Amino acid sequence: MSTAASSSTSETIAEPGLKIKVSTKEGEVFELDEKVAKMSQVIRGILEDLGEQNGGDDSVLPLTQVETRIFRKILVWLKYHAGHDKEEAPKAEEDEIIARFCEEIPEWDQKFLNVDQAVILEIMLAADYLDIKKLRGLCCKTVANILKTKTVEQIREMYGIENDFTPEEEEEIRKQTAWCEDEPPRQGSNH
Amino acid sequence: MAERSHAGEPTFGINQLPYEVLIAIFAHLDCSTRYRVRRVCGFWNSLLSFEFPIMNVQFPHRTTPGQAFESLVDQHQSALASFTTSSSAGIGDMTSKPPLTAVRSIVISSVSANNLQNLLDNRVVAFLLISFRKLRDIVFVGGKVNFWLLMDLPLGMMEIHFKNVTLDHISSIDYLRERQTEELPLSFELMLKKALVKLVDINVPVYPAGQKQLIGLDIKKLPRVTQQPILRIIRQQEKNLSTINVSDVQDIDFGLFRNSTLRELELYIPKSYDSYSHWQNLDRFSSSKLFRT
């Protein structure tokens, strides 16, 4: 990805406005625009709590669970979406479910998440920790899309999961789910 | 779970995610994938049984609507009992079971040619909706289905899956299509399409010579507004056409398309075009070939 340039610009942001400082697990400090930082509900919450009593310019929010390498990626995502997203009204539950099934992942995000499986999982974990719903949702959808195309065996292999069922248990589940096929639907190169 | 390492660095495993995140992933799956991934490991199975409980309903040969209702209530009761008491039996049980109102999935199977339409009368549907507020998908296995049935279900929230089901009176699809445009919300249309795609997938008809081109002619006649989704399908499914534009549509040879692509495209052709009566064809196909037990 050609995003390396934008990910390491913590010192060179030109625009005025409030800056929020956060530090990663390794202790590296990043300076974010307020708008970008507030896309994380966790940071937003902390800022709102601090807001009244003026947290002071030099305070650094420690994000102890997020590694620098993952945070850089998330920052890329946040900056892009801070610049490109319109404020979205919260959706009704029904619309949300429909969106979950029918909306496709936008091209930019597809490219962004076109990384190693393990990295997606880590981004997802960090997005969960920082409470960035949209990013978390995108990761979930990406992983779900991958699962849809794989057989049970392939999933186990991909994530290094051991088959810990006894033969009887496996048979039991097979019975419960007898109507659905072992193989994922089509998707192959020939029909 | 086994830790794999690439170049000395330990890889982050999917089961290290908090289980809420795993559940969020599962929530994005369609119901058949959700059933399939239960077989991956005990942890996934117990998470899925807990978060997306299934109820199996069987309608034996010659069930009457009254019996269907009673058997549904019975099974509901016994399921309720097992949900509240058992924490011993079963695979990978969690410490407590969710209330049955949380059932997300119902599998309705019928071994004979029961007309599910008749069995699922208003009373049954009302019962389903009241007892299972969180119902996310219904799977029909066997029996006959008529699309009027779908009108009674809150389709916008649900995924409907058919397996070995005979389609009765295809004309009800036309009825639905007409209504879609006037009264039904867009979400209904989308869900309907999803349901139809799945249904058609089961049948996998192979288009006879020349009919692909006929469908192609219909598609070329479509108004511009509907061409965006069509282009998207073509770009996704036909590898050598992944970069086509609206202006190219007129030059495409639809005869070279894969059957599965055309099946999806067909959903966008209004019945009134009628140069190819594909739905009747599908009906014939489904009644002849589908009923194998």
Side-chain angles (χ1 to χ4, degrees), chain A residues 150 156 164 181-182 186, chain B residues 36 39-40 42 163 264:
Chain A
K150 305 278 182 209
R156 283 187 196 133
D164 53 3
E181 288 88 356
D182 277 346
R186 44 198 174 100
Chain B
R36 182 154 42 85
R39 298 184 199 144
V40 169
K163 171 82 178 174
E264 285 191 28

Side-chain angles (χ1 to χ4, degrees), chain B residues 44-278:
Chain B
W44 286 28
N45 181 48
S46 49
L47 270 187
L48 282 162
S49 337
F50 189 78
E51 276 300 314
F52 301 96
I54 307 173
M55 190 169 109
N56 280 288
V57 184
Q58 278 255 356
F59 293 139
H61 190 50
R62 288 187 185 283
T63 310
T64 65
Q67 287 165 346
F69 181 68
E70 275 164 30
S71 106
L72 198 61
V73 175
D74 274 358
Q75 295 194 40
H76 178 244
Q77 291 294 335
S78 61
L80 200 62
S82 73
F83 270 116
T84 43
T85 58
S86 91
S87 55
S88 52
I91 313 139
D93 257 333
M94 310 280 280
T95 42
S96 65
K97 287 278 190 180
L100 199 66
T101 45
V103 163
R104 303 287 185 104
S105 220
I106 293 190
V107 182
I108 295 177
S109 39
S110 175
V111 282
S112 66
N114 279 321
N115 192 336
L116 292 170
Q117 180 61 33
N118 295 338
L119 296 183
L120 297 172
D121 59 7
N122 292 344
R123 205 162 44 137
V124 172
V125 170
F127 178 78
L128 287 177
L129 297 187
I130 292 165
S131 309
F132 308 100
R133 286 167 193 278
K134 292 212 170 154
L135 202 57
R136 271 274 299 279
D137 39 64
I138 299 188
V139 182
F140 294 101
V141 187
K144 259 194 275 185
V145 163
N146 167 323
F147 269 85
W148 293 97
L149 170 73
L150 303 184
M151 290 301 287
D152 295 331
L153 300 170
L155 208 53
M157 300 283 281
M158 257 195 262
E159 203 180 327
I160 313 244
H161 207 101
F162 299 95
K163 171 82 178 174
N164 291 354
V165 164
T166 313
L167 203 56
D168 204 18
H169 293 303
I170 220 78
S171 57
S172 50
I173 292 178
D174 294 325
Y175 172 80
L176 284 179
R177 288 191 168 173
E178 279 159 30
R179 290 201 42 180
Q180 263 173 47
T181 49
E182 305 154 20
E183 302 159 36
L184 298 168
L186 181 69
S187 58
F188 181 91
E189 190 184 350
L190 287 171
M191 279 293 151
L192 179 66
K193 279 187 180 137
K194 268 179 86 76
L196 289 179
V197 169
K198 290 210 171 101
L199 179 77
V200 175
D201 273 351
I202 297 168
N203 300 338
V204 198
V206 175
Y207 294 100
Q211 276 178 339
K212 285 183 177 181
Q213 278 85 351
L214 282 176
I215 298 173
L217 285 180
D218 277 350
I219 288 167
K220 288 174 186 175
K221 278 191 275 178
L222 287 175
R224 276 193 166 236
V225 263
T226 47
Q227 293 202 343
Q228 279 311 323
I230 284 175
L231 281 175
R232 205 173 60 225
I233 294 175
I234 297 176
R235 286 191 200 123
Q236 274 173 2
Q237 304 231 0
E238 298 294 318
K239 283 208 180 80
N240 44 3
L241 294 176
S242 56
T243 55
I244 57 158
N245 289 313
V246 179
S247 51
D248 304 326
V249 170
Q250 299 304 325
D251 304 325
I252 296 175
D253 181 0
F254 284 81
L256 302 173
F257 276 28
R258 293 159 54 186
N259 290 314
S260 56
T261 314
L262 281 167
R263 251 176 281 131
E264 285 191 28
L265 294 179
E266 265 192 280
L267 298 176
Y268 289 89
I269 304 174
K271 180 70 171 125
S272 54
Y273 283 28
D274 216 22
S275 67
Y276 171 53
S277 52
H278 42 277

Side-chain angles (χ1 to χ4, degrees), chain A residues 94 98 100-101 104 118 124-125 128 136 140 144 148 150 152 156 160 164-165 172 177 179 181-182 186, chain B residues 2 11-12 18 21 24 28 30 35-36 39-42 91 136 139 156-157 161 163 187 232 236 264:
Chain A
E94 180 166 342
I98 290 159
R100 200 183 279 167
F101 281 107
E104 282 168 42
M124 182 159 32
L125 187 66
D128 185 55
R136 189 182 115 145
C140 285
K148 278 177 201 167
K150 305 278 182 209
V152 172
R156 283 187 196 133
D164 53 3
F165 291 120
E172 180 65 28
T177 58
W179 65 272
E181 288 88 356
D182 277 346
R186 44 198 174 100
Chain B
T11 310
F12 187 81
V21 179
H28 282 273
D30 59 303
Y35 277 71
R36 182 154 42 85
R39 298 184 199 144
V40 169
C41 66
I91 313 139
R136 271 274 299 279
V139 182
M157 300 283 281
H161 207 101
K163 171 82 178 174
S187 58
R232 205 173 60 225
Q236 274 173 2
E264 285 191 28

Side-chain angles (χ1 to χ4, degrees), chain A residues 19 54 117:
Chain A
K19 297 275 189 251
N54 188 9
Q117 277 285 309

Side-chain angles (χ1 to χ4, degrees), chain A residues 68-142:
Chain A
T68 302
R69 134 189 99 86
I70 298 299
F71 191 73
R72 282 189 196 283
K73 288 203 188 305
I74 289 188
L75 208 53
V76 171
W77 188 89
L78 287 176
K79 280 182 181 161
Y80 176 84
H81 282 270
H84 290 75
D85 284 9
K86 295 169 211 101
E87 215 32 71
E88 275 180 49
K91 286 175 184 162
E93 191 191 0
E94 180 166 342
D95 292 337
E96 214 161 83
I97 291 176
I98 290 159
R100 200 183 279 167
F101 281 107
C102 300
E103 270 175 21
E104 282 168 42
I105 303 175
E107 216 177 319
W108 192 91
D109 295 295
Q110 270 184 30
K111 275 192 193 132
F112 174 78
L113 290 171
N114 188 14
V115 290
D116 205 61
Q117 277 285 309
V119 177
I120 297 181
L121 297 180
E122 282 175 278
I123 292 175
M124 182 159 32
L125 187 66
D128 185 55
Y129 170 75
L130 295 170
D131 199 3
I132 309 169
K133 290 214 169 53
K134 192 169 171 187
L135 178 57
R136 189 182 115 145
L138 286 169
C139 292
C140 285
K141 197 165 208 167
T142 307

